[in-house]
């Protein structure tokens, strides 16, 4: 799975020694926020000192993170583990360059007004409604 967004938090690294193998380990968690209409946040973990150094994730960076989701049970409760296995830096276009390109790509849709303008009602139109004192149609809703 993948998620793209901005790193908003870099949490402290955790380390220790495995009780089973006696080998040292290190992990670090990061929080990424998407740029959707309703932004979502996701906390993911990078395991291994070599991967932490390789990815070199900094706060404020725009990234695409590839990850796996796994769940484990502890004392009758279940917990999700989101482990990153690849990180790609996204190259953002400067806003000055992005605006003309978007204007050229969609001139017809970008010039349209919302809601679309309604044609003026003629005197012979049986569906035309009377106007109230404020100039609004009598069947217009207040919201």
């Amino acid at each position: 799975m993948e998620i793209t967004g901005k790193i908003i938090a870099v949490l402290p690294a955790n380390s220790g020694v495995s009780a089973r193998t006696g080998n040292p380990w290190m992990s670090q968690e990061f929080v990424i926020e998407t740029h959707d209409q309703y932004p979502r946040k996701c906390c993911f973990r990078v395991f291994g000192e070599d991967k932490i150094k390789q990815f070199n994730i900094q706060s404020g960076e725009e990234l695409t993170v590839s990850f796996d989701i796994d769940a484990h049970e502890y004392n009758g409760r279940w917990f999700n583990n989101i482990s990153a296995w690849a990180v790609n830096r996204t190259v953002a276009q400067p806003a000055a360059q992005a605006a003309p390109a978007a204007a050229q790509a969609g001139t017809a849709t970008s010039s349209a007004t919302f809601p679309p303008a309604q044609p003026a009602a003629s005197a012979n139109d049986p569906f035309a409604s009377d106007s109230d004192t404020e100039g609004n149609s009598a069947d217009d809703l207040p919201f």
Side-chain angles (χ1 to χ4, degrees):
M1 300 181 89
E2 287 186 348
I3 188 169
T4 300
K6 180 179 179 180
I7 299 296
I8 61 170
V10 177
L11 304 175
N14 298 315
S15 61
V17 177
S18 171
R20 189 170 36 117
T21 64
N23 295 331
W25 59 268
M26 180 181 271
S27 72
Q28 189 169 9
E29 292 180 329
F30 304 89
V31 179
I32 190 168
E33 182 176 42
T34 65
H35 299 296
D36 298 331
Q37 180 180 2
Y38 300 105
R40 297 182 186 257
K41 296 175 184 78
C42 177
C43 181
F44 65 92
R45 175 179 311 212
V46 176
F47 189 82
E49 185 175 5
D50 57 334
K51 291 240 187 211
I52 293 170
K53 288 180 181 178
Q54 175 189 352
F55 295 159
N56 191 27
I57 299 172
Q58 304 295 320
S59 184
E61 282 187 302
E62 294 288 331
L63 301 176
T64 297
V65 179
S66 300
F67 59 91
D68 291 324
I69 299 176
D70 191 25
H72 63 277
E73 184 265 337
Y74 179 75
N75 288 340
R77 294 191 60 195
W78 285 88
F79 298 90
N80 290 320
N81 185 20
I82 301 172
S83 299
W85 51 270
V87 172
N88 296 314
R89 298 282 183 305
T90 55
V91 179
Q93 281 187 339
Q97 293 176 354
Q104 291 173 355
T107 54
T109 57
S110 63
S111 64
T113 59
F114 185 79
Q118 299 295 322
S122 68
N124 297 335
D125 188 358
F127 298 106
S129 60
D130 296 331
S131 296
D132 63 7
T133 58
E134 295 178 10
N136 295 328
S137 173
D139 59 344
D140 279 350
L141 297 175
F143 52 88

